[in-house]
């Protein structure tokens, strides 16, 4: 249950839940899974790194490629936060090797998508914008290939956020519109609220105050209750508005010049 709890922001409840389990009562595989959950809920970088690395080594010992990949991804993220860039890259390479191994026997969408996302995080911290875009495209393509609509929507939302930061508001709007079509309408992950938050920022950059306020209202409420047709039309309007702005013009509109 750790992944849905983590994705919906219930980290405190999740960590408390893992406290009810006693490490000594678990098998090695169970302990590795427990440690992965603990890592997922941990917000202290040093503790996260130690927990995730231990989980990875245990998962490797019991030959569980899926668990090892998850643990290595968390350890890599913690290494980034600790500014150990070389260590993060090495852990991601390890995660990728495990991910490719487990994809041969099962569809581990989360690991497959989060390996390139981890690469993107490192590229972002290094300021390598071209690499950021390349890794996001790889993540989206992987999610699409594995048939995960939620993952594609989440990745496209992050792509849109990155494009907005670069002043490419037309690209950002198109990505959001596509993500809006793919995002599940009713689930616990609240992908629509995240999309609405990015859309509000794009609308604000375009100078459309009324639209930005509408999107902020959606982001701050239960976005799943918003009529699907209305949401789709709002996304299309955002695309039409942004389509009048080229990549270069977008810098001026967003105040970056």
């Amino acid at each position: 249950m750790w992944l849905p709890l983590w994705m919906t922001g219930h980290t405190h409840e999740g960590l408390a839940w893992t406290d009810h389990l006693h490490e000594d009562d678990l098998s090695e595989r169970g302990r590795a899974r427990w440690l992965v959950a603990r890592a997922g809920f941990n917000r202290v970088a040093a503790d996260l790194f130690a927990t995730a690395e231990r989980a990875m080594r245990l998962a490797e010992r019991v030959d569980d490629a899926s668990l090892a990949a998850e643990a290595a991804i968390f350890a890599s993220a913690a290494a980034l936060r600790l500014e150990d860039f070389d260590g993060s890259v090495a852990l991601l390479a390890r995660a990728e090797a495990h991910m490719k191994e487990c994809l041969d026997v099962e569809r581990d969408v989360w690991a497959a998508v989060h390996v390139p996302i981890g690469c993107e995080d490192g590229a972002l911290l290094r300021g390598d914008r071209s690499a950021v875009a390349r890794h996001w495209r790889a993540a989206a393509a992987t999610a699409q290939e594995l048939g995960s609509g939620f993952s594609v929507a989440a990745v496209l939302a992050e792509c849109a956020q990155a494009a907005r930061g670069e002043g490419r508001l037309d690209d950002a709007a198109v990505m959001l519109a596509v993500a809006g079509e793919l995002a599940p309408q009713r689930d616990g992950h609240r992908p629509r609220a995240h999309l609405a938050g990015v859309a509000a920022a794009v609308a604000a950059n375009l100078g459309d105050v009324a639209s930005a306020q509408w999107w902020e209202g959606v982001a701050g409420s239960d976005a799943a209750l918003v009529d699907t047709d209305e949401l789709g039309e709002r996304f299309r309007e955002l695309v039409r508005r942004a389509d009048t702005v080229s990549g270069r013009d977008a810098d001026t509109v967003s105040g970056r010049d």
Side-chain angles (χ1 to χ4, degrees):
M1 288 294 294
W2 78 266
L3 184 56
L5 286 170
W6 175 73
M7 294 181 78
T8 52
H10 297 295
T11 54
H12 291 298
E13 296 92 330
L15 195 59
W17 171 70
T18 63
D19 286 338
H20 290 293
L21 298 173
H22 301 286
E23 182 176 356
D24 293 340
D25 296 335
L26 303 172
S27 66
E28 281 197 324
R29 187 181 302 275
R31 193 176 304 131
R33 190 174 297 280
W34 177 74
L35 285 167
V36 166
R38 296 281 295 181
F41 296 134
N42 205 313
R43 289 293 174 265
V44 180
D47 292 345
L48 166 57
F49 180 80
T51 303
E53 188 178 43
R54 187 174 164 219
M56 178 185 68
R57 297 186 186 284
L58 259 178
E60 288 175 341
R61 192 158 69 199
V62 298
D63 198 26
D64 191 322
S66 181
L67 268 179
E70 291 178 7
I73 288 167
F74 279 132
S76 172
L80 272 184
R81 287 164 59 185
L82 294 169
E83 299 186 354
D84 181 3
F85 301 114
D86 291 340
S88 177
V89 170
L91 285 162
L92 274 179
R94 206 158 167 174
E96 185 173 22
H98 288 306
M99 179 267 294
K100 289 179 177 177
E101 179 185 345
C102 63
L103 278 178
D104 289 338
V105 294
E106 60 180 314
R107 297 165 62 81
D108 194 335
V109 177
W110 188 88
V113 171
H114 276 76
V115 167
I117 286 176
C119 293
E120 178 274 336
D121 289 341
L124 192 63
L125 287 176
R126 295 193 305 273
D128 188 346
R129 290 291 179 180
S130 61
V132 168
R134 186 171 66 252
H135 292 311
W136 275 125
R137 284 195 296 269
T142 299
Q144 187 77 61
E145 180 183 346
L146 295 175
S148 174
F150 168 75
S151 296
V152 176
V155 168
L156 284 172
E158 297 298 340
C159 287
Q161 186 75 284
R164 187 190 73 84
E166 294 172 358
R168 296 184 292 110
L169 303 181
D170 48 350
D171 289 342
V174 170
M175 291 173 190
L176 287 171
V178 173
E181 295 176 2
L182 294 170
Q185 295 179 27
R186 293 161 57 186
D187 65 11
H189 304 316
R190 295 173 296 182
R192 282 183 164 192
H194 179 48
L195 291 174
V198 181
V202 171
N205 287 153
L206 289 168
D208 190 341
V209 177
S211 179
Q213 290 175 338
W214 187 88
W215 283 112
E216 286 176 355
V218 173
S221 62
D222 189 348
L225 298 179
V226 178
D227 181 74
T228 301
D229 292 337
E230 181 181 8
L231 202 65
E233 179 53 37
R234 290 279 187 167
F235 275 124
R236 288 189 290 273
E237 177 56 34
L238 193 67
V239 172
R240 287 192 290 270
R241 175 76 176 83
D243 197 40
T244 63
V245 183
S246 68
R248 180 171 297 178
D249 292 335
D251 288 343
T252 303
V253 172
S254 60
R256 289 164 58 97
D257 281 357

